[in-house]
Amino acid sequence: MKRSNNSIWGFIRKEFFHIFRDKKTLLLIFGLPVAQLLLFGFVVTNEIKDAKIAVFDQSKDYLSLQLVNKLVSSGYFILSDNLSNASQIDEVLKAGKAQLVVSIQPNFAAEFQKQGVASVQLNADASEPNTASILTAYASAIISDFAAENSGMPQQTLVSVQSRMLYNPDLKSVFMFVPGTMALILMLITAMMTSISIAREKEMGTMEVLLVSPLKPWQIVLGKVFPYIGLGFANALLIIILGYFVFMLPMRGSMVLLLLVTLLFIILALSLGILISTVSKTQQVAMFLSMFALLLPTILLSGFIFPIENMPVPLQWLSLIMPPRWFISALKTIMIKGEGLAFVYKEILVMLGMTIAFLSLSIKKFKIRL
Amino acid sequence: MDSSIVISVNKLVKKFGNFVANDNLTFEVGSGEIFGFLGANGAGKTTAIRILCGLLEPTSGDIIVAGFNGYTQRDKIKANIGYMSQKFSLYEDLTVWENIRLFAGIYGVSRKLIQERANLLIENLGLEDYRNRPVADLPLGWKQKLAFSVAMIHKPTIIFLDEPTGGVDPITRRRFWEMIYEAADAGTTVFVTTHYMDEAEYCNRISIMVDGKIVALDTPSALKAEYNAESMDEVFVKLARNSQRV
Amino acid sequence: MSYGQTRALKGATFAVDEGELFGLIGPDGAGKTTLIRILASLLVPSGGSATMCGADVVRDYQAIRQMVGYMPGRFSLYQDLTVRENLEFFASVFGTTVEQNYRLIEDIYKMLEPFANRPAGKLSGGMKQKLALSCALIHKPKVLLLDEPTTGVDAVSRKEFWTMLRKLKNEGITMLVSTPYMDEAAQCDRIALIQNGDILQIVSPKQIVDSYAYDLFGIESKRPNAVIKALRADSRFQSSFLFGHEVHLSVEMRSIAVDAVERYLLENGIETIAVRRISPTIEDCFMSLMEHNNAIG
């Protein structure tokens, strides 16, 4: 065993030499997370500010006025119109005078106090479905909040509310982007970098020499991935720290659990990277495969940018096999909801299963010959 | 200047930072001459060839190739020379005919002339059956002959051959040299590098570079006499053994 | 062994003795690399079998990988690692250290030592080749497989390299070396001449020269190309090729005399400096085998 340990350490040391001598890539590895996070956090935001709403208040009692006030004072909405009849709802939306119309039922206060339930209807301009869904989500969140304040019974909300928003009372899109970026970056660095670095050995002919040595496939693979586990982990920490201090992301759950889940995801991404490298002969192929097989799905199908609930059903199914989806979900549960192991065990099991599947597939596909 | 001189290099120096790749090279090559350019790995041959082909600008010194200035008329130089190396010469996935058309086009041969010369070339090489097949299908020896002919398609004044025969079997290697003789007899100047020392003997004159300098320049027989050697191999080893550069 | 439709090797049969320096001589595309890769356990033959020190190259590939030192045709070291780091890495791969087997590589490594901290990618061709040999030797292999170690390397480095191999032979290491340079064949104990996937002949360098079946003339003249053209026009002359400063002419044994050749050339308007009978080099032999092979194949 001493002999194989020696080989592995020699291999790992060599990998670190490669990584630290390639200054450009190193800069990319650590500059990228910062740039991405700032980009997504500040620039590409789908946060709502000053969206125009119209109110059709059929009750006009103290409680309905309070609700309208709360909506407007949230900072997300500006009241553009007070409507007097239902036919105007369509008009203002069509004319673009408002992006969202809030209709409050007659006898709002009375109903609410008597039964604990009253109805508020939200009509949104769905020609921009993403904005519409975000607007209704924001509005519903404020309304359910309002209901909770006034009844003390948060369960009985007035309208159905997306649970994500429930735990994001400040309605910050950063909460969506930080976990998403983390998944993206970890995927990029670990999967892409390992697959490229294994492909590079094939391209440079050094793999030929390694194959003729007594090194076993698992030793080559382990030696390759070990440094990237470290790099990936350092990156994850960097993103968490940035999220916490720059974007005021809450850290409600267990840090240990969070780091364990992150580590699991890194290993999962690595196993994907190895799988890619077993089918790519050149660095170029490895890069394109990583791009199309990993990055695009991470961005598009993991719920990072587009909410999974809004996707067509087949795509929702597809998102089930996207590793980042489970990671992002686990991250949110731990960081933002502050839940423990009991609430993320499903995600952990799925990721574990995927890792084992990818690893065994790669070891099976790893060629012991040319 | 003598009109039969096609390459004239005087005190050529090329530095990369502090590293002197070419140190004060001076030589002339005459029209129709086969000039062997020898040197150990790292002696500075590649740099010198790149300068002569107009790919690099020298640091100092005078250089005239095919009548054009090596500083200001590099594009003109490129249009009047041919270049063939063992490493890259033809596109393997294009057919014989497509390769000829491509390179003739690059060197500005007119459409009509391309047809004419391509047909002649294919006929001379006996490649009629391969005309529309990818170059990858050709045996190595034929590939090299084709590459040479393609490099000559625009009838250049000078042809540069960078290790044209590496790894080729001894018969093909000799047939290739017979082509070189034909080209030289027709008036083309041949500038050739090689690691085969027997091939050095086929040249009219040879220069040997060591550590960026030309340390010997003469006909093979004169060099053998001067260094009291049986073969060019011996001459080369005697000279290059003192190399300091690695 | 075949790749797709091309048969890279056709029924190669040979045996190398322990401690022998065995040369595989042939041009590019002859099948040398394929053969060496099969022996290195990197490729599986389409038919037939091969063993080294009793280990089957397919079944016992792990045993093969313990005892073989392999130097591939193109430079296959880590260009961004220094000379020293490359050596240490390959030592660690084989579970050994540079110090343990230093004696074996001492002579070669001494020449590299001044550049121990230079990245391997920045070495000259000759030095790269020495480093690659050191790395292939660092675990004290029983068998050394060298695929065209001297291709693209200048004549001086090539000579040095063969001197090193002769020294290693004294250490009892069995070596299989491929090369396209015919002149290197003389350095081997035995050689296999290989072309188009066929082994033409397996002989010692001396035997091959002795078994040459023609009379050979060396013709020196100012116009070698004209000499060749003139000779090829007459069917009495078997073959004629450029050869260093001469033209080599082969004819049927005892079919023609020196002065007859001289006279023939003069009749064709070519003055010669010297015409003499010569003994063949290995390259002459290989060429005659090649021609013979092409004629029947």
Side-chain angles (χ1 to χ4, degrees), chain A residues 247-268:
Chain A
F247 296 106
M248 308 300 167
L249 198 70
M251 188 51 242
R252 298 202 174 101
S254 149
M255 191 69 186
V256 177
L257 185 61
L258 177 76
L259 293 183
L260 279 178
V261 169
T262 307
L263 193 63
L264 177 60
F265 180 69
I266 291 172
I267 296 171
L268 170 56

PDB file of all heavy atoms in Angstrom, chain A residues 247-268:
ATOM      1  N   PHE A 247     -23.803  40.449  -0.286  1.00  0.00           N
ATOM      2  CA  PHE A 247     -25.217  40.409  -0.639  1.00  0.00           C
ATOM      3  C   PHE A 247     -26.116  40.124   0.559  1.00  0.00           C
ATOM      4  O   PHE A 247     -27.308  39.948   0.405  1.00  0.00           O
ATOM      5  CB  PHE A 247     -25.441  39.371  -1.741  1.00  0.00           C
ATOM      6  CG  PHE A 247     -24.746  39.717  -3.013  1.00  0.00           C
ATOM      7  CD1 PHE A 247     -23.613  39.052  -3.413  1.00  0.00           C
ATOM      8  CD2 PHE A 247     -25.223  40.760  -3.805  1.00  0.00           C
ATOM      9  CE1 PHE A 247     -22.973  39.383  -4.585  1.00  0.00           C
ATOM     10  CE2 PHE A 247     -24.586  41.105  -4.977  1.00  0.00           C
ATOM     11  CZ  PHE A 247     -23.451  40.414  -5.362  1.00  0.00           C
ATOM     12  N   MET A 248     -25.519  40.097   1.746  1.00  0.00           N
ATOM     13  CA  MET A 248     -26.283  39.923   2.972  1.00  0.00           C
ATOM     14  C   MET A 248     -27.172  38.678   2.937  1.00  0.00           C
ATOM     15  O   MET A 248     -28.292  38.672   3.417  1.00  0.00           O
ATOM     16  CB  MET A 248     -27.190  41.145   3.252  1.00  0.00           C
ATOM     17  CG  MET A 248     -26.465  42.462   3.223  1.00  0.00           C
ATOM     18  SD  MET A 248     -25.169  42.479   4.481  1.00  0.00           S
ATOM     19  CE  MET A 248     -24.252  43.904   3.999  1.00  0.00           C
ATOM     20  N   LEU A 249     -26.650  37.654   2.326  1.00  0.00           N
ATOM     21  CA  LEU A 249     -27.379  36.398   2.275  1.00  0.00           C
ATOM     22  C   LEU A 249     -27.425  35.806   3.678  1.00  0.00           C
ATOM     23  O   LEU A 249     -26.416  35.785   4.369  1.00  0.00           O
ATOM     24  CB  LEU A 249     -26.620  35.447   1.348  1.00  0.00           C
ATOM     25  CG  LEU A 249     -27.376  34.259   0.807  1.00  0.00           C
ATOM     26  CD1 LEU A 249     -28.425  34.729  -0.189  1.00  0.00           C
ATOM     27  CD2 LEU A 249     -26.401  33.321   0.106  1.00  0.00           C
ATOM     28  N   PRO A 250     -28.590  35.340   4.111  1.00  0.00           N
ATOM     29  CA  PRO A 250     -28.637  34.789   5.465  1.00  0.00           C
ATOM     30  C   PRO A 250     -27.946  33.428   5.514  1.00  0.00           C
ATOM     31  O   PRO A 250     -27.824  32.752   4.509  1.00  0.00           O
ATOM     32  CB  PRO A 250     -30.137  34.629   5.721  1.00  0.00           C
ATOM     33  CG  PRO A 250     -30.719  34.450   4.376  1.00  0.00           C
ATOM     34  CD  PRO A 250     -29.887  35.268   3.429  1.00  0.00           C
ATOM     35  N   MET A 251     -27.492  33.070   6.677  1.00  0.00           N
ATOM     36  CA  MET A 251     -26.902  31.754   6.873  1.00  0.00           C
ATOM     37  C   MET A 251     -27.648  31.156   8.038  1.00  0.00           C
ATOM     38  O   MET A 251     -27.179  31.136   9.158  1.00  0.00           O
ATOM     39  CB  MET A 251     -25.407  31.947   7.144  1.00  0.00           C
ATOM     40  CG  MET A 251     -24.581  30.693   7.194  1.00  0.00           C
ATOM     41  SD  MET A 251     -24.799  29.605   5.799  1.00  0.00           S
ATOM     42  CE  MET A 251     -25.431  28.178   6.662  1.00  0.00           C
ATOM     43  N   ARG A 252     -28.867  30.681   7.733  1.00  0.00           N
ATOM     44  CA  ARG A 252     -29.754  30.301   8.826  1.00  0.00           C
ATOM     45  C   ARG A 252     -29.506  28.883   9.309  1.00  0.00           C
ATOM     46  O   ARG A 252     -29.730  28.580  10.459  1.00  0.00           O
ATOM     47  CB  ARG A 252     -31.216  30.433   8.383  1.00  0.00           C
ATOM     48  CG  ARG A 252     -31.583  31.868   8.021  1.00  0.00           C
ATOM     49  CD  ARG A 252     -33.093  32.102   8.121  1.00  0.00           C
ATOM     50  NE  ARG A 252     -33.370  33.516   7.902  1.00  0.00           N
ATOM     51  CZ  ARG A 252     -33.819  34.015   6.738  1.00  0.00           C
ATOM     52  NH1 ARG A 252     -34.054  33.213   5.708  1.00  0.00           N
ATOM     53  NH2 ARG A 252     -34.030  35.306   6.618  1.00  0.00           N
ATOM     54  N   GLY A 253     -29.077  28.005   8.399  1.00  0.00           N
ATOM     55  CA  GLY A 253     -28.918  26.599   8.767  1.00  0.00           C
ATOM     56  C   GLY A 253     -27.518  26.266   9.252  1.00  0.00           C
ATOM     57  O   GLY A 253     -26.717  27.154   9.538  1.00  0.00           O
ATOM     58  N   SER A 254     -27.233  24.975   9.267  1.00  0.00           N
ATOM     59  CA  SER A 254     -25.946  24.514   9.784  1.00  0.00           C
ATOM     60  C   SER A 254     -24.854  24.676   8.733  1.00  0.00           C
ATOM     61  O   SER A 254     -24.981  24.209   7.595  1.00  0.00           O
ATOM     62  CB  SER A 254     -26.064  23.038  10.179  1.00  0.00           C
ATOM     63  OG  SER A 254     -24.829  22.394  10.005  1.00  0.00           O
ATOM     64  N   MET A 255     -23.778  25.344   9.126  1.00  0.00           N
ATOM     65  CA  MET A 255     -22.649  25.569   8.222  1.00  0.00           C
ATOM     66  C   MET A 255     -22.015  24.235   7.833  1.00  0.00           C
ATOM     67  O   MET A 255     -21.635  24.025   6.679  1.00  0.00           O
ATOM     68  CB  MET A 255     -21.624  26.445   8.950  1.00  0.00           C
ATOM     69  CG  MET A 255     -20.528  26.975   8.051  1.00  0.00           C
ATOM     70  SD  MET A 255     -21.197  28.197   6.902  1.00  0.00           S
ATOM     71  CE  MET A 255     -19.775  28.474   5.895  1.00  0.00           C
ATOM     72  N   VAL A 256     -21.917  23.334   8.794  1.00  0.00           N
ATOM     73  CA  VAL A 256     -21.295  22.036   8.529  1.00  0.00           C
ATOM     74  C   VAL A 256     -22.080  21.283   7.465  1.00  0.00           C
ATOM     75  O   VAL A 256     -21.520  20.759   6.493  1.00  0.00           O
ATOM     76  CB  VAL A 256     -21.218  21.204   9.832  1.00  0.00           C
ATOM     77  CG1 VAL A 256     -20.635  19.827   9.536  1.00  0.00           C
ATOM     78  CG2 VAL A 256     -20.403  21.937  10.878  1.00  0.00           C
ATOM     79  N   LEU A 257     -23.393  21.292   7.624  1.00  0.00           N
ATOM     80  CA  LEU A 257     -24.243  20.604   6.655  1.00  0.00           C
ATOM     81  C   LEU A 257     -24.073  21.229   5.276  1.00  0.00           C
ATOM     82  O   LEU A 257     -23.948  20.544   4.254  1.00  0.00           O
ATOM     83  CB  LEU A 257     -25.706  20.681   7.110  1.00  0.00           C
ATOM     84  CG  LEU A 257     -26.696  19.896   6.253  1.00  0.00           C
ATOM     85  CD1 LEU A 257     -26.376  18.415   6.253  1.00  0.00           C
ATOM     86  CD2 LEU A 257     -28.126  20.122   6.743  1.00  0.00           C
ATOM     87  N   LEU A 258     -24.031  22.553   5.260  1.00  0.00           N
ATOM     88  CA  LEU A 258     -23.872  23.275   3.994  1.00  0.00           C
ATOM     89  C   LEU A 258     -22.578  22.858   3.294  1.00  0.00           C
ATOM     90  O   LEU A 258     -22.556  22.563   2.099  1.00  0.00           O
ATOM     91  CB  LEU A 258     -23.860  24.782   4.262  1.00  0.00           C
ATOM     92  CG  LEU A 258     -23.633  25.654   3.034  1.00  0.00           C
ATOM     93  CD1 LEU A 258     -24.896  25.714   2.194  1.00  0.00           C
ATOM     94  CD2 LEU A 258     -23.194  27.042   3.418  1.00  0.00           C
ATOM     95  N   LEU A 259     -21.499  22.822   4.075  1.00  0.00           N
ATOM     96  CA  LEU A 259     -20.202  22.473   3.478  1.00  0.00           C
ATOM     97  C   LEU A 259     -20.181  21.017   3.015  1.00  0.00           C
ATOM     98  O   LEU A 259     -19.610  20.697   1.979  1.00  0.00           O
ATOM     99  CB  LEU A 259     -19.078  22.743   4.473  1.00  0.00           C
ATOM    100  CG  LEU A 259     -18.878  24.226   4.787  1.00  0.00           C
ATOM    101  CD1 LEU A 259     -17.699  24.422   5.728  1.00  0.00           C
ATOM    102  CD2 LEU A 259     -18.672  25.056   3.530  1.00  0.00           C
ATOM    103  N   LEU A 260     -20.842  20.159   3.780  1.00  0.00           N
ATOM    104  CA  LEU A 260     -20.891  18.753   3.372  1.00  0.00           C
ATOM    105  C   LEU A 260     -21.642  18.587   2.058  1.00  0.00           C
ATOM    106  O   LEU A 260     -21.211  17.869   1.162  1.00  0.00           O
ATOM    107  CB  LEU A 260     -21.562  17.920   4.473  1.00  0.00           C
ATOM    108  CG  LEU A 260     -20.637  17.544   5.631  1.00  0.00           C
ATOM    109  CD1 LEU A 260     -21.413  16.761   6.693  1.00  0.00           C
ATOM    110  CD2 LEU A 260     -19.455  16.732   5.128  1.00  0.00           C
ATOM    111  N   VAL A 261     -22.769  19.295   1.957  1.00  0.00           N
ATOM    112  CA  VAL A 261     -23.552  19.221   0.722  1.00  0.00           C
ATOM    113  C   VAL A 261     -22.726  19.757  -0.442  1.00  0.00           C
ATOM    114  O   VAL A 261     -22.719  19.199  -1.547  1.00  0.00           O
ATOM    115  CB  VAL A 261     -24.871  20.008   0.877  1.00  0.00           C
ATOM    116  CG1 VAL A 261     -25.552  20.174  -0.468  1.00  0.00           C
ATOM    117  CG2 VAL A 261     -25.784  19.294   1.847  1.00  0.00           C
ATOM    118  N   THR A 262     -21.991  20.857  -0.172  1.00  0.00           N
ATOM    119  CA  THR A 262     -21.150  21.450  -1.215  1.00  0.00           C
ATOM    120  C   THR A 262     -20.083  20.457  -1.668  1.00  0.00           C
ATOM    121  O   THR A 262     -19.857  20.273  -2.865  1.00  0.00           O
ATOM    122  CB  THR A 262     -20.474  22.722  -0.680  1.00  0.00           C
ATOM    123  OG1 THR A 262     -21.495  23.567  -0.152  1.00  0.00           O
ATOM    124  CG2 THR A 262     -19.740  23.449  -1.781  1.00  0.00           C
ATOM    125  N   LEU A 263     -19.461  19.812  -0.708  1.00  0.00           N
ATOM    126  CA  LEU A 263     -18.418  18.840  -1.021  1.00  0.00           C
ATOM    127  C   LEU A 263     -18.990  17.717  -1.884  1.00  0.00           C
ATOM    128  O   LEU A 263     -18.392  17.303  -2.872  1.00  0.00           O
ATOM    129  CB  LEU A 263     -17.859  18.272   0.285  1.00  0.00           C
ATOM    130  CG  LEU A 263     -16.569  17.478   0.151  1.00  0.00           C
ATOM    131  CD1 LEU A 263     -15.459  18.367  -0.360  1.00  0.00           C
ATOM    132  CD2 LEU A 263     -16.183  16.858   1.488  1.00  0.00           C
ATOM    133  N   LEU A 264     -20.182  17.275  -1.510  1.00  0.00           N
ATOM    134  CA  LEU A 264     -20.824  16.206  -2.268  1.00  0.00           C
ATOM    135  C   LEU A 264     -21.055  16.654  -3.705  1.00  0.00           C
ATOM    136  O   LEU A 264     -20.801  15.918  -4.659  1.00  0.00           O
ATOM    137  CB  LEU A 264     -22.146  15.816  -1.595  1.00  0.00           C
ATOM    138  CG  LEU A 264     -22.965  14.749  -2.326  1.00  0.00           C
ATOM    139  CD1 LEU A 264     -22.181  13.460  -2.458  1.00  0.00           C
ATOM    140  CD2 LEU A 264     -24.279  14.502  -1.601  1.00  0.00           C
ATOM    141  N   PHE A 265     -21.510  17.892  -3.856  1.00  0.00           N
ATOM    142  CA  PHE A 265     -21.775  18.395  -5.207  1.00  0.00           C
ATOM    143  C   PHE A 265     -20.480  18.496  -6.006  1.00  0.00           C
ATOM    144  O   PHE A 265     -20.451  18.201  -7.208  1.00  0.00           O
ATOM    145  CB  PHE A 265     -22.479  19.744  -5.147  1.00  0.00           C
ATOM    146  CG  PHE A 265     -22.775  20.308  -6.513  1.00  0.00           C
ATOM    147  CD1 PHE A 265     -23.721  19.708  -7.328  1.00  0.00           C
ATOM    148  CD2 PHE A 265     -22.099  21.420  -6.994  1.00  0.00           C
ATOM    149  CE1 PHE A 265     -23.984  20.213  -8.597  1.00  0.00           C
ATOM    150  CE2 PHE A 265     -22.359  21.920  -8.255  1.00  0.00           C
ATOM    151  CZ  PHE A 265     -23.310  21.320  -9.056  1.00  0.00           C
ATOM    152  N   ILE A 266     -19.400  18.925  -5.341  1.00  0.00           N
ATOM    153  CA  ILE A 266     -18.120  19.023  -6.038  1.00  0.00           C
ATOM    154  C   ILE A 266     -17.702  17.654  -6.564  1.00  0.00           C
ATOM    155  O   ILE A 266     -17.296  17.499  -7.709  1.00  0.00           O
ATOM    156  CB  ILE A 266     -17.030  19.594  -5.097  1.00  0.00           C
ATOM    157  CG1 ILE A 266     -17.335  21.061  -4.795  1.00  0.00           C
ATOM    158  CG2 ILE A 266     -15.646  19.462  -5.716  1.00  0.00           C
ATOM    159  CD1 ILE A 266     -16.456  21.662  -3.736  1.00  0.00           C
ATOM    160  N   ILE A 267     -17.861  16.641  -5.704  1.00  0.00           N
ATOM    161  CA  ILE A 267     -17.481  15.293  -6.131  1.00  0.00           C
ATOM    162  C   ILE A 267     -18.379  14.817  -7.268  1.00  0.00           C
ATOM    163  O   ILE A 267     -17.925  14.191  -8.225  1.00  0.00           O
ATOM    164  CB  ILE A 267     -17.523  14.322  -4.930  1.00  0.00           C
ATOM    165  CG1 ILE A 267     -16.467  14.768  -3.910  1.00  0.00           C
ATOM    166  CG2 ILE A 267     -17.264  12.896  -5.366  1.00  0.00           C
ATOM    167  CD1 ILE A 267     -16.528  14.052  -2.590  1.00  0.00           C
ATOM    168  N   LEU A 268     -19.641  15.194  -7.179  1.00  0.00           N
ATOM    169  CA  LEU A 268     -20.575  14.840  -8.252  1.00  0.00           C
ATOM    170  C   LEU A 268     -20.135  15.475  -9.568  1.00  0.00           C
ATOM    171  O   LEU A 268     -20.086  14.825 -10.617  1.00  0.00           O
ATOM    172  CB  LEU A 268     -21.987  15.297  -7.864  1.00  0.00           C
ATOM    173  CG  LEU A 268     -23.070  15.238  -8.936  1.00  0.00           C
ATOM    174  CD1 LEU A 268     -23.200  13.853  -9.506  1.00  0.00           C
ATOM    175  CD2 LEU A 268     -24.407  15.683  -8.358  1.00  0.00           C
TER     176      LEU A 268
END
